[in-house]
Amino acid sequence: MRTIEEVQATLQIAKLKEEDFHPTVHCLSFGEHVSSGDYCLMELDETLCKHIEAGKSLTIRGDKEEHAVLCSEDKTYDLKIADTSNLLLFIPGCETPDHFPRDQSAPNLVHAQVWGFSNNYWELRRQHPRLKKLKKLLMEKPYAGLLAGVEEGSDGNTLRYTMEDLLDRIQASEKEILSQLQDIHACEIDGYWRILDFDYEMKLLGHVTQLVDSESWSFSKVPRSVSLQELGPLEPKEMIEHCLNCYGRRYTDEDREVYFALDEDKVCQAMAQMLLQNAVKFNLAEFLEVWQQSVPEGMTTRLDQLRSIALVDRSSRPETISLLRVEDLPEDTLERFSCLFSMREKWTEEDIVPYIQDLCGEKQTTGALLTKYARSSMQNGRKVYNSRRPVAT
Amino acid sequence: MVQIVVSSVGNSPGEWLLVELQGEMMSRQNAGLAGNLMGDLHYTKEGIPVLIVGHHILYGKQVKLEKPFAVLVKQSGLPQGADVSMESSVQSPTVYTVSALIKKKLIFKTRPKPIITNVPKKV
């Protein structure tokens, strides 16, 4: 082992004065496993660092075709290897002057070993998890009520997924998966997560809205117990309650009674989807009229409720409207833009923003996305966006 | 889909120091680095790190990392010394443990100053 005298001699040969330096010197050598260990460096952000310090674990999820992602309990990060032209050495037990004990005067030799070294590290970038696969999996066998037929396949392959199954197949954190399940109105039946067949979901909603109308209730005060009692004979109570939870907000009033406040926007959106899904496009004026009539008494339909659900064509005569849901579009940014531009050559910002909003990364604006993936021009005094690359027609 | 768990050892992993150097580390006799001396790390009274490696003096500076690093060590799937039966087809998932966190580094970027050791002997 190197001695303090040898260190001092080296300083002398190097023509450096001992008095210019701190008395603590670290004598560095290479550890036994420096070249043989299976290790790597991973870059963290503040959140992940605190996560690890709290003793929580992370999961890396990946497939042969997919990139690998890192998931905490509620966030997903893209994982990439970054190379550096420099050499990174990591050393335990090596201190910096701000941590040295005060009032040191005697020379102090500390032996420290370089535990490992690397010229690359794992880089993490926070991203929107790829959740489209989740709906695709659940759509393999939508739930259409008890009368819809046998649930299990003959070979026991039920095409149904538990949360564990989903975590095994979807590159996202559990919380993000749960949030998406809520958004698509999925519910847990017999331990399996199921998406409702759309017609069945509308049937349930129809039962609820018809009851509200016939009882002349305010749609903000739909009593839970009476609803379940009246509609129970028609459909399982759990499904009625699930419908009320999807389309309303549950609350308890001063009399300790449980009510649901139906969400006007959600109900109107569902009715619009029901009307629009049966044809390629509709006459806008006719649609608006029928749509208003289809929603419960007291609710008002508004075109802005249909942002990211339907697209209006104001250039055609008569003006038309068609179903276009952002969740049906490609998840990948480049593919999304290609798809949108193949549908329509030029888009106004107002029309396109609802269909690209979800692509924005952390601290990224739709404006930045448009600058990057589209080209702008003026048409009839308005700014429009079109594709940067030739689109196959 | 492959799932790999990254977990911490105990509660809070210790903190290590990162030293960033330009170029490569080569051992003199090409016998590998393990066990060999690397150099002496000094700090000036102003806190500037000075590394003496072989015939070179490197001057650097201390930097707080904007993004800290975690040192991940791959654990082999099998417990050490366990008797693995041939019928066992259950594969233990791969686990990486966080051995340490790195929040600051010493970066040595200036051109190494060579040490001239062939000093003519005093007559």
mmCIF file of all heavy atoms in Angstrom, chain A residues 2 19-20 22 26 28 30 38-40 42 44 53 58 60-62 86-87 89 91 95-96 168, chain B residues 1-4 6 8 17 19-21 33 35-36 38-41 43 45 68 70 72 74 103-104:
data_model
loop_
_atom_site.group_PDB
_atom_site.id
_atom_site.type_symbol
_atom_site.label_atom_id
_atom_site.label_comp_id
_atom_site.label_asym_id
_atom_site.label_seq_id
_atom_site.Cartn_x
_atom_site.Cartn_y
_atom_site.Cartn_z
ATOM 1 N N ARG A 2 0.491 2.196 -0.747
ATOM 2 C CA ARG A 2 1.250 3.447 -0.851
ATOM 3 C C ARG A 2 1.302 4.153 0.520
ATOM 4 O O ARG A 2 0.320 4.199 1.245
ATOM 5 C CB ARG A 2 0.500 4.343 -1.832
ATOM 6 C CG ARG A 2 1.402 5.123 -2.716
ATOM 7 C CD ARG A 2 0.664 5.544 -3.961
ATOM 8 N NE ARG A 2 1.016 6.903 -4.330
ATOM 9 C CZ ARG A 2 2.202 7.250 -4.793
ATOM 10 N NH1 ARG A 2 3.121 6.331 -4.956
ATOM 11 N NH2 ARG A 2 2.471 8.508 -5.085
ATOM 12 N N GLU A 19 2.120 22.650 0.913
ATOM 13 C CA GLU A 19 1.343 23.614 1.694
ATOM 14 C C GLU A 19 0.191 24.239 0.909
ATOM 15 O O GLU A 19 -0.696 24.856 1.476
ATOM 16 C CB GLU A 19 2.217 24.736 2.267
ATOM 17 C CG GLU A 19 2.911 25.583 1.227
ATOM 18 C CD GLU A 19 4.371 25.213 1.097
ATOM 19 O OE1 GLU A 19 4.717 24.055 1.422
ATOM 20 O OE2 GLU A 19 5.148 26.069 0.666
ATOM 21 N N ASP A 20 0.209 24.069 -0.457
ATOM 22 C CA ASP A 20 -0.910 24.592 -1.247
ATOM 23 C C ASP A 20 -2.120 23.672 -1.181
ATOM 24 O O ASP A 20 -3.192 24.029 -1.635
ATOM 25 C CB ASP A 20 -0.505 24.730 -2.729
ATOM 26 C CG ASP A 20 0.492 25.856 -2.933
ATOM 27 O OD1 ASP A 20 0.574 26.751 -2.061
ATOM 28 O OD2 ASP A 20 1.191 25.833 -3.966
ATOM 29 N N HIS A 22 -4.697 20.608 0.644
ATOM 30 C CA HIS A 22 -5.377 20.124 1.824
ATOM 31 C C HIS A 22 -4.615 18.913 2.361
ATOM 32 O O HIS A 22 -4.107 18.125 1.565
ATOM 33 C CB HIS A 22 -6.787 19.694 1.399
ATOM 34 C CG HIS A 22 -7.806 19.998 2.425
ATOM 35 N ND1 HIS A 22 -7.982 19.200 3.523
ATOM 36 C CD2 HIS A 22 -8.681 21.020 2.519
ATOM 37 C CE1 HIS A 22 -8.955 19.729 4.264
ATOM 38 N NE2 HIS A 22 -9.390 20.817 3.673
ATOM 39 N N HIS A 26 -6.356 11.352 -1.262
ATOM 40 C CA HIS A 26 -6.942 10.049 -1.553
ATOM 41 C C HIS A 26 -6.021 9.309 -2.499
ATOM 42 O O HIS A 26 -5.671 9.807 -3.568
ATOM 43 C CB HIS A 26 -8.312 10.205 -2.224
ATOM 44 C CG HIS A 26 -9.379 10.675 -1.308
ATOM 45 N ND1 HIS A 26 -9.606 12.002 -1.053
ATOM 46 C CD2 HIS A 26 -10.295 9.993 -0.556
ATOM 47 C CE1 HIS A 26 -10.612 12.127 -0.191
ATOM 48 N NE2 HIS A 26 -11.040 10.926 0.124
ATOM 49 N N LEU A 28 -5.832 6.491 -4.959
ATOM 50 C CA LEU A 28 -6.809 5.703 -5.702
ATOM 51 C C LEU A 28 -6.194 4.486 -6.356
ATOM 52 O O LEU A 28 -5.118 4.562 -6.964
ATOM 53 C CB LEU A 28 -7.448 6.579 -6.798
ATOM 54 C CG LEU A 28 -8.121 7.880 -6.342
ATOM 55 C CD1 LEU A 28 -8.614 8.671 -7.547
ATOM 56 C CD2 LEU A 28 -9.283 7.588 -5.405
ATOM 57 N N PHE A 30 -7.518 0.514 -8.362
ATOM 58 C CA PHE A 30 -8.668 -0.144 -8.982
ATOM 59 C C PHE A 30 -9.097 -1.342 -8.162
ATOM 60 O O PHE A 30 -8.267 -2.153 -7.744
ATOM 61 C CB PHE A 30 -8.313 -0.590 -10.401
ATOM 62 C CG PHE A 30 -8.150 0.561 -11.345
ATOM 63 C CD1 PHE A 30 -6.888 1.009 -11.689
ATOM 64 C CD2 PHE A 30 -9.266 1.202 -11.870
ATOM 65 C CE1 PHE A 30 -6.728 2.080 -12.557
ATOM 66 C CE2 PHE A 30 -9.122 2.275 -12.729
ATOM 67 C CZ PHE A 30 -7.846 2.723 -13.069
ATOM 68 N N ASP A 38 -20.927 -6.967 -13.481
ATOM 69 C CA ASP A 38 -22.011 -6.681 -14.403
ATOM 70 C C ASP A 38 -22.760 -5.473 -13.835
ATOM 71 O O ASP A 38 -23.624 -5.619 -12.984
ATOM 72 C CB ASP A 38 -22.943 -7.895 -14.488
ATOM 73 C CG ASP A 38 -23.616 -7.963 -15.846
ATOM 74 O OD1 ASP A 38 -23.711 -6.904 -16.516
ATOM 75 O OD2 ASP A 38 -24.047 -9.055 -16.217
ATOM 76 N N TYR A 39 -22.365 -4.298 -14.293
ATOM 77 C CA TYR A 39 -22.961 -3.105 -13.702
ATOM 78 C C TYR A 39 -23.114 -2.016 -14.751
ATOM 79 O O TYR A 39 -22.554 -2.115 -15.842
ATOM 80 C CB TYR A 39 -22.086 -2.585 -12.544
ATOM 81 C CG TYR A 39 -20.662 -2.278 -12.952
ATOM 82 C CD1 TYR A 39 -20.347 -1.092 -13.626
ATOM 83 C CD2 TYR A 39 -19.621 -3.167 -12.666
ATOM 84 C CE1 TYR A 39 -19.045 -0.816 -14.008
ATOM 85 C CE2 TYR A 39 -18.318 -2.873 -13.041
ATOM 86 C CZ TYR A 39 -18.038 -1.708 -13.710
ATOM 87 O OH TYR A 39 -16.743 -1.417 -14.089
ATOM 88 N N CYS A 40 -23.875 -0.998 -14.429
ATOM 89 C CA CYS A 40 -23.990 0.142 -15.335
ATOM 90 C C CYS A 40 -24.457 1.361 -14.552
ATOM 91 O O CYS A 40 -24.867 1.267 -13.406
ATOM 92 C CB CYS A 40 -24.970 -0.158 -16.466
ATOM 93 S SG CYS A 40 -26.633 -0.403 -15.875
ATOM 94 N N MET A 42 -27.080 4.630 -14.389
ATOM 95 C CA MET A 42 -28.360 5.074 -14.912
ATOM 96 C C MET A 42 -28.626 6.496 -14.440
ATOM 97 O O MET A 42 -28.563 6.780 -13.249
ATOM 98 C CB MET A 42 -29.480 4.146 -14.420
ATOM 99 C CG MET A 42 -30.849 4.504 -14.971
ATOM 100 S SD MET A 42 -32.096 3.243 -14.642
ATOM 101 C CE MET A 42 -32.511 3.611 -12.966
ATOM 102 N N LEU A 44 -30.768 9.691 -13.437
ATOM 103 C CA LEU A 44 -32.074 9.818 -12.789
ATOM 104 C C LEU A 44 -32.542 11.258 -12.828
ATOM 105 O O LEU A 44 -31.736 12.161 -12.986
ATOM 106 C CB LEU A 44 -31.958 9.427 -11.304
ATOM 107 C CG LEU A 44 -31.404 8.067 -10.946
ATOM 108 C CD1 LEU A 44 -31.152 7.996 -9.447
ATOM 109 C CD2 LEU A 44 -32.372 6.985 -11.354
ATOM 110 N N GLU A 53 -34.303 6.677 -2.954
ATOM 111 C CA GLU A 53 -33.875 6.945 -1.576
ATOM 112 C C GLU A 53 -34.919 6.496 -0.577
ATOM 113 O O GLU A 53 -34.622 6.155 0.550
ATOM 114 C CB GLU A 53 -33.576 8.440 -1.400
ATOM 115 C CG GLU A 53 -32.224 8.824 -1.991
ATOM 116 C CD GLU A 53 -31.998 10.312 -2.076
ATOM 117 O OE1 GLU A 53 -32.965 11.046 -2.347
ATOM 118 O OE2 GLU A 53 -30.844 10.729 -1.882
ATOM 119 N N LEU A 58 -38.203 0.010 -9.041
ATOM 120 C CA LEU A 58 -38.651 0.389 -10.373
ATOM 121 C C LEU A 58 -38.678 -0.872 -11.228
ATOM 122 O O LEU A 58 -38.011 -1.846 -10.896
ATOM 123 C CB LEU A 58 -37.664 1.384 -10.991
ATOM 124 C CG LEU A 58 -37.338 2.608 -10.143
ATOM 125 C CD1 LEU A 58 -36.072 3.273 -10.663
ATOM 126 C CD2 LEU A 58 -38.486 3.589 -10.183
ATOM 127 N N ILE A 60 -38.273 -2.410 -15.244
ATOM 128 C CA ILE A 60 -37.977 -2.181 -16.657
ATOM 129 C C ILE A 60 -38.843 -3.157 -17.429
ATOM 130 O O ILE A 60 -38.878 -4.355 -17.129
ATOM 131 C CB ILE A 60 -36.490 -2.445 -16.953
ATOM 132 C CG1 ILE A 60 -35.633 -1.440 -16.169
ATOM 133 C CG2 ILE A 60 -36.210 -2.321 -18.449
ATOM 134 C CD1 ILE A 60 -34.157 -1.703 -16.243
ATOM 135 N N ARG A 61 -39.580 -2.650 -18.400
ATOM 136 C CA ARG A 61 -40.457 -3.517 -19.173
ATOM 137 C C ARG A 61 -40.098 -3.421 -20.638
ATOM 138 O O ARG A 61 -40.004 -2.333 -21.184
ATOM 139 C CB ARG A 61 -41.913 -3.074 -18.988
ATOM 140 C CG ARG A 61 -42.382 -3.167 -17.567
ATOM 141 C CD ARG A 61 -43.893 -3.165 -17.474
ATOM 142 N NE ARG A 61 -44.272 -3.660 -16.184
ATOM 143 C CZ ARG A 61 -44.680 -2.894 -15.178
ATOM 144 N NH1 ARG A 61 -44.784 -1.613 -15.324
ATOM 145 N NH2 ARG A 61 -44.974 -3.432 -14.020
ATOM 146 N N GLY A 62 -39.910 -4.552 -21.279
ATOM 147 C CA GLY A 62 -39.555 -4.481 -22.686
ATOM 148 C C GLY A 62 -39.824 -5.754 -23.424
ATOM 149 O O GLY A 62 -39.990 -6.816 -22.847
ATOM 150 N N ASN A 86 -15.988 10.615 -22.726
ATOM 151 C CA ASN A 86 -15.150 10.614 -21.523
ATOM 152 C C ASN A 86 -15.292 9.320 -20.752
ATOM 153 O O ASN A 86 -16.210 8.544 -20.956
ATOM 154 C CB ASN A 86 -15.544 11.774 -20.607
ATOM 155 C CG ASN A 86 -15.178 13.116 -21.206
ATOM 156 O OD1 ASN A 86 -14.396 13.180 -22.146
ATOM 157 N ND2 ASN A 86 -15.746 14.173 -20.665
ATOM 158 N N LEU A 87 -14.371 9.116 -19.838
ATOM 159 C CA LEU A 87 -14.389 7.935 -19.007
ATOM 160 C C LEU A 87 -14.965 8.307 -17.648
ATOM 161 O O LEU A 87 -14.549 9.293 -17.048
ATOM 162 C CB LEU A 87 -12.959 7.423 -18.848
ATOM 163 C CG LEU A 87 -12.777 6.056 -18.215
ATOM 164 C CD1 LEU A 87 -13.439 4.992 -19.051
ATOM 165 C CD2 LEU A 87 -11.300 5.759 -18.068
ATOM 166 N N LEU A 89 -15.483 7.216 -13.809
ATOM 167 C CA LEU A 89 -15.061 6.284 -12.760
ATOM 168 C C LEU A 89 -15.939 6.510 -11.543
ATOM 169 O O LEU A 89 -16.210 7.656 -11.189
ATOM 170 C CB LEU A 89 -13.605 6.557 -12.362
ATOM 171 C CG LEU A 89 -12.550 6.604 -13.465
ATOM 172 C CD1 LEU A 89 -11.225 7.097 -12.896
ATOM 173 C CD2 LEU A 89 -12.344 5.219 -14.047
ATOM 174 N N ILE A 91 -16.389 5.911 -7.463
ATOM 175 C CA ILE A 91 -15.527 5.611 -6.330
ATOM 176 C C ILE A 91 -16.277 5.768 -5.012
ATOM 177 O O ILE A 91 -16.737 6.865 -4.687
ATOM 178 C CB ILE A 91 -14.310 6.575 -6.336
ATOM 179 C CG1 ILE A 91 -13.669 6.589 -7.740
ATOM 180 C CG2 ILE A 91 -13.291 6.149 -5.291
ATOM 181 C CD1 ILE A 91 -12.589 7.622 -7.910
ATOM 182 N N GLU A 95 -14.116 11.517 -0.576
ATOM 183 C CA GLU A 95 -14.837 12.739 -0.206
ATOM 184 C C GLU A 95 -14.315 13.985 -0.900
ATOM 185 O O GLU A 95 -13.207 14.013 -1.423
ATOM 186 C CB GLU A 95 -14.786 12.939 1.313
ATOM 187 C CG GLU A 95 -15.954 12.316 2.060
ATOM 188 C CD GLU A 95 -17.312 12.644 1.428
ATOM 189 O OE1 GLU A 95 -17.436 13.624 0.644
ATOM 190 O OE2 GLU A 95 -18.270 11.894 1.705
ATOM 191 N N THR A 96 -15.158 15.006 -0.907
ATOM 192 C CA THR A 96 -14.758 16.300 -1.458
ATOM 193 C C THR A 96 -14.526 17.253 -0.285
ATOM 194 O O THR A 96 -15.032 17.008 0.806
ATOM 195 C CB THR A 96 -15.864 16.871 -2.368
ATOM 196 O OG1 THR A 96 -17.108 16.798 -1.680
ATOM 197 C CG2 THR A 96 -15.963 16.076 -3.662
ATOM 198 N N ASP A 168 -48.049 -7.227 -17.402
ATOM 199 C CA ASP A 168 -47.111 -8.072 -18.125
ATOM 200 C C ASP A 168 -47.033 -7.745 -19.610
ATOM 201 O O ASP A 168 -46.108 -8.155 -20.295
ATOM 202 C CB ASP A 168 -47.581 -9.529 -17.991
ATOM 203 C CG ASP A 168 -46.522 -10.384 -17.365
ATOM 204 O OD1 ASP A 168 -45.400 -9.878 -17.128
ATOM 205 O OD2 ASP A 168 -46.803 -11.564 -17.119
ATOM 206 N N MET B 1 -43.387 -10.378 -22.485
ATOM 207 C CA MET B 1 -42.600 -9.166 -22.215
ATOM 208 C C MET B 1 -41.634 -9.416 -21.066
ATOM 209 O O MET B 1 -41.968 -10.067 -20.098
ATOM 210 C CB MET B 1 -43.556 -8.028 -21.844
ATOM 211 C CG MET B 1 -42.861 -6.697 -21.715
ATOM 212 S SD MET B 1 -44.016 -5.333 -21.663
ATOM 213 C CE MET B 1 -44.686 -5.522 -20.045
ATOM 214 N N VAL B 2 -40.448 -8.898 -21.213
ATOM 215 C CA VAL B 2 -39.438 -9.078 -20.165
ATOM 216 C C VAL B 2 -39.647 -8.022 -19.088
ATOM 217 O O VAL B 2 -39.828 -6.855 -19.385
ATOM 218 C CB VAL B 2 -38.028 -8.904 -20.772
ATOM 219 C CG1 VAL B 2 -36.972 -8.930 -19.690
ATOM 220 C CG2 VAL B 2 -37.777 -9.985 -21.797
ATOM 221 N N GLN B 3 -39.608 -8.452 -17.829
ATOM 222 C CA GLN B 3 -39.717 -7.481 -16.737
ATOM 223 C C GLN B 3 -38.498 -7.614 -15.853
ATOM 224 O O GLN B 3 -38.174 -8.691 -15.376
ATOM 225 C CB GLN B 3 -40.983 -7.744 -15.910
ATOM 226 C CG GLN B 3 -42.257 -7.429 -16.668
ATOM 227 C CD GLN B 3 -43.384 -7.016 -15.747
ATOM 228 O OE1 GLN B 3 -43.289 -6.034 -15.029
ATOM 229 N NE2 GLN B 3 -44.469 -7.761 -15.788
ATOM 230 N N ILE B 4 -37.802 -6.516 -15.668
ATOM 231 C CA ILE B 4 -36.603 -6.515 -14.826
ATOM 232 C C ILE B 4 -36.842 -5.563 -13.672
ATOM 233 O O ILE B 4 -37.255 -4.422 -13.880
ATOM 234 C CB ILE B 4 -35.373 -6.035 -15.627
ATOM 235 C CG1 ILE B 4 -35.114 -6.960 -16.807
ATOM 236 C CG2 ILE B 4 -34.136 -5.973 -14.738
ATOM 237 C CD1 ILE B 4 -34.059 -6.445 -17.758
ATOM 238 N N VAL B 6 -35.649 -3.183 -10.634
ATOM 239 C CA VAL B 6 -34.524 -2.400 -10.128
ATOM 240 C C VAL B 6 -34.868 -2.025 -8.695
ATOM 241 O O VAL B 6 -35.816 -1.294 -8.453
ATOM 242 C CB VAL B 6 -34.336 -1.106 -10.959
ATOM 243 C CG1 VAL B 6 -33.236 -0.240 -10.370
ATOM 244 C CG2 VAL B 6 -34.019 -1.450 -12.403
ATOM 245 N N SER B 8 -33.605 -1.106 -4.471
ATOM 246 C CA SER B 8 -32.544 -0.568 -3.611
ATOM 247 C C SER B 8 -32.133 -1.614 -2.597
ATOM 248 O O SER B 8 -32.915 -2.462 -2.205
ATOM 249 C CB SER B 8 -33.027 0.650 -2.838
ATOM 250 O OG SER B 8 -33.784 1.476 -3.653
ATOM 251 N N LEU B 17 -18.636 8.916 -5.431
ATOM 252 C CA LEU B 17 -18.148 10.066 -6.188
ATOM 253 C C LEU B 17 -17.858 9.636 -7.618
ATOM 254 O O LEU B 17 -17.390 8.529 -7.872
ATOM 255 C CB LEU B 17 -16.871 10.602 -5.531
ATOM 256 C CG LEU B 17 -16.253 11.858 -6.147
ATOM 257 C CD1 LEU B 17 -17.180 13.057 -5.948
ATOM 258 C CD2 LEU B 17 -14.899 12.150 -5.504
ATOM 259 N N VAL B 19 -15.691 10.388 -11.027
ATOM 260 C CA VAL B 19 -14.529 11.101 -11.554
ATOM 261 C C VAL B 19 -14.577 10.951 -13.066
ATOM 262 O O VAL B 19 -14.616 9.842 -13.584
ATOM 263 C CB VAL B 19 -13.211 10.513 -10.986
ATOM 264 C CG1 VAL B 19 -12.011 11.041 -11.740
ATOM 265 C CG2 VAL B 19 -13.093 10.844 -9.505
ATOM 266 N N GLU B 20 -14.619 12.071 -13.759
ATOM 267 C CA GLU B 20 -14.740 12.019 -15.217
ATOM 268 C C GLU B 20 -13.425 12.435 -15.854
ATOM 269 O O GLU B 20 -12.888 13.511 -15.586
ATOM 270 C CB GLU B 20 -15.858 12.970 -15.670
ATOM 271 C CG GLU B 20 -16.182 12.846 -17.143
ATOM 272 C CD GLU B 20 -17.443 13.620 -17.551
ATOM 273 O OE1 GLU B 20 -18.293 13.862 -16.678
ATOM 274 O OE2 GLU B 20 -17.549 13.972 -18.743
ATOM 275 N N LEU B 21 -12.901 11.562 -16.701
ATOM 276 C CA LEU B 21 -11.605 11.828 -17.340
ATOM 277 C C LEU B 21 -11.726 11.753 -18.851
ATOM 278 O O LEU B 21 -12.540 11.006 -19.376
ATOM 279 C CB LEU B 21 -10.581 10.763 -16.921
ATOM 280 C CG LEU B 21 -10.309 10.579 -15.441
ATOM 281 C CD1 LEU B 21 -9.442 9.350 -15.244
ATOM 282 C CD2 LEU B 21 -9.608 11.807 -14.886
ATOM 283 N N LEU B 33 -6.640 -3.858 -15.142
ATOM 284 C CA LEU B 33 -6.596 -2.756 -14.188
ATOM 285 C C LEU B 33 -6.759 -3.211 -12.739
ATOM 286 O O LEU B 33 -6.253 -2.575 -11.830
ATOM 287 C CB LEU B 33 -7.693 -1.746 -14.514
ATOM 288 C CG LEU B 33 -7.573 -1.042 -15.877
ATOM 289 C CD1 LEU B 33 -8.858 -0.302 -16.172
ATOM 290 C CD2 LEU B 33 -6.410 -0.079 -15.862
ATOM 291 N N GLY B 35 -6.820 -4.186 -9.104
ATOM 292 C CA GLY B 35 -5.766 -4.252 -8.086
ATOM 293 C C GLY B 35 -4.667 -3.219 -8.258
ATOM 294 O O GLY B 35 -3.885 -2.972 -7.344
ATOM 295 N N ASN B 36 -4.585 -2.600 -9.425
ATOM 296 C CA ASN B 36 -3.485 -1.650 -9.654
ATOM 297 C C ASN B 36 -3.749 -0.278 -9.081
ATOM 298 O O ASN B 36 -4.884 0.146 -8.926
ATOM 299 C CB ASN B 36 -3.241 -1.484 -11.162
ATOM 300 C CG ASN B 36 -2.513 -2.664 -11.743
ATOM 301 O OD1 ASN B 36 -2.111 -3.579 -11.017
ATOM 302 N ND2 ASN B 36 -2.357 -2.666 -13.046
ATOM 303 N N MET B 38 -3.949 3.723 -9.218
ATOM 304 C CA MET B 38 -4.352 4.621 -10.274
ATOM 305 C C MET B 38 -3.616 5.957 -10.133
ATOM 306 O O MET B 38 -2.992 6.431 -11.071
ATOM 307 C CB MET B 38 -5.854 4.853 -10.221
ATOM 308 C CG MET B 38 -6.343 5.660 -11.404
ATOM 309 S SD MET B 38 -7.983 6.281 -11.132
ATOM 310 C CE MET B 38 -7.775 7.955 -11.602
ATOM 311 N N GLY B 39 -3.751 6.552 -8.969
ATOM 312 C CA GLY B 39 -3.080 7.836 -8.793
ATOM 313 C C GLY B 39 -3.452 8.470 -7.462
ATOM 314 O O GLY B 39 -4.178 7.890 -6.667
ATOM 315 N N ASP B 40 -2.938 9.674 -7.260
ATOM 316 C CA ASP B 40 -3.228 10.392 -6.014
ATOM 317 C C ASP B 40 -4.172 11.546 -6.297
ATOM 318 O O ASP B 40 -3.957 12.310 -7.244
ATOM 319 C CB ASP B 40 -1.938 10.979 -5.411
ATOM 320 C CG ASP B 40 -0.930 9.906 -5.055
ATOM 321 O OD1 ASP B 40 -1.359 8.750 -4.814
ATOM 322 O OD2 ASP B 40 0.275 10.220 -5.034
ATOM 323 N N LEU B 41 -5.187 11.670 -5.476
ATOM 324 C CA LEU B 41 -6.141 12.767 -5.625
ATOM 325 C C LEU B 41 -5.912 13.779 -4.509
ATOM 326 O O LEU B 41 -6.084 13.481 -3.333
ATOM 327 C CB LEU B 41 -7.573 12.229 -5.569
ATOM 328 C CG LEU B 41 -8.688 13.279 -5.582
ATOM 329 C CD1 LEU B 41 -8.689 14.063 -6.887
ATOM 330 C CD2 LEU B 41 -10.051 12.605 -5.398
ATOM 331 N N TYR B 43 -6.533 17.946 -3.163
ATOM 332 C CA TYR B 43 -7.378 19.134 -3.321
ATOM 333 C C TYR B 43 -6.569 20.335 -2.874
ATOM 334 O O TYR B 43 -5.925 20.307 -1.824
ATOM 335 C CB TYR B 43 -8.624 19.060 -2.443
ATOM 336 C CG TYR B 43 -9.629 18.003 -2.847
ATOM 337 C CD1 TYR B 43 -9.612 16.750 -2.247
ATOM 338 C CD2 TYR B 43 -10.585 18.257 -3.817
ATOM 339 C CE1 TYR B 43 -10.535 15.774 -2.614
ATOM 340 C CE2 TYR B 43 -11.517 17.288 -4.182
ATOM 341 C CZ TYR B 43 -11.481 16.048 -3.582
ATOM 342 O OH TYR B 43 -12.399 15.094 -3.935
ATOM 343 N N LYS B 45 -6.085 24.174 -1.417
ATOM 344 C CA LYS B 45 -6.783 24.825 -0.305
ATOM 345 C C LYS B 45 -8.056 25.526 -0.783
ATOM 346 O O LYS B 45 -8.981 25.731 -0.026
ATOM 347 C CB LYS B 45 -5.842 25.833 0.383
ATOM 348 C CG LYS B 45 -4.685 25.158 1.154
ATOM 349 C CD LYS B 45 -4.929 25.185 2.639
ATOM 350 C CE LYS B 45 -4.056 24.182 3.383
ATOM 351 N NZ LYS B 45 -2.618 24.570 3.503
ATOM 352 N N PRO B 68 -28.649 13.156 -11.140
ATOM 353 C CA PRO B 68 -27.815 12.181 -10.427
ATOM 354 C C PRO B 68 -27.795 10.835 -11.128
ATOM 355 O O PRO B 68 -28.651 10.535 -11.954
ATOM 356 C CB PRO B 68 -28.488 12.069 -9.056
ATOM 357 C CG PRO B 68 -29.795 12.735 -9.152
ATOM 358 C CD PRO B 68 -29.835 13.563 -10.379
ATOM 359 N N ALA B 70 -27.472 6.501 -10.735
ATOM 360 C CA ALA B 70 -27.588 5.362 -9.847
ATOM 361 C C ALA B 70 -26.613 4.316 -10.376
ATOM 362 O O ALA B 70 -26.486 4.154 -11.594
ATOM 363 C CB ALA B 70 -29.008 4.809 -9.877
ATOM 364 N N LEU B 72 -26.098 0.611 -10.934
ATOM 365 C CA LEU B 72 -26.911 -0.603 -10.916
ATOM 366 C C LEU B 72 -26.019 -1.816 -11.072
ATOM 367 O O LEU B 72 -25.162 -1.853 -11.965
ATOM 368 C CB LEU B 72 -27.910 -0.584 -12.077
ATOM 369 C CG LEU B 72 -28.900 0.575 -12.137
ATOM 370 C CD1 LEU B 72 -29.861 0.367 -13.289
ATOM 371 C CD2 LEU B 72 -29.673 0.698 -10.853
ATOM 372 N N LYS B 74 -26.089 -5.922 -11.600
ATOM 373 C CA LYS B 74 -26.957 -7.034 -11.974
ATOM 374 C C LYS B 74 -26.763 -8.181 -10.999
ATOM 375 O O LYS B 74 -25.632 -8.562 -10.699
ATOM 376 C CB LYS B 74 -26.589 -7.493 -13.387
ATOM 377 C CG LYS B 74 -27.627 -8.363 -14.063
ATOM 378 C CD LYS B 74 -27.226 -8.569 -15.516
ATOM 379 C CE LYS B 74 -28.292 -9.305 -16.296
ATOM 380 N NZ LYS B 74 -27.887 -9.478 -17.698
ATOM 381 N N LYS B 103 -24.165 12.022 -6.824
ATOM 382 C CA LYS B 103 -24.776 13.336 -6.978
ATOM 383 C C LYS B 103 -23.788 14.428 -7.381
ATOM 384 O O LYS B 103 -24.187 15.544 -7.699
ATOM 385 C CB LYS B 103 -25.468 13.739 -5.672
ATOM 386 C CG LYS B 103 -26.574 12.780 -5.301
ATOM 387 C CD LYS B 103 -27.383 13.259 -4.121
ATOM 388 C CE LYS B 103 -28.388 12.211 -3.720
ATOM 389 N NZ LYS B 103 -29.160 12.590 -2.544
ATOM 390 N N LYS B 104 -22.507 14.107 -7.328
ATOM 391 C CA LYS B 104 -21.529 15.111 -7.742
ATOM 392 C C LYS B 104 -20.370 14.426 -8.436
ATOM 393 O O LYS B 104 -20.146 13.213 -8.274
ATOM 394 C CB LYS B 104 -21.041 15.915 -6.535
ATOM 395 C CG LYS B 104 -20.456 15.065 -5.448
ATOM 396 C CD LYS B 104 -20.238 15.870 -4.177
ATOM 397 C CE LYS B 104 -19.746 14.930 -3.082
ATOM 398 N NZ LYS B 104 -19.700 15.549 -1.771
#
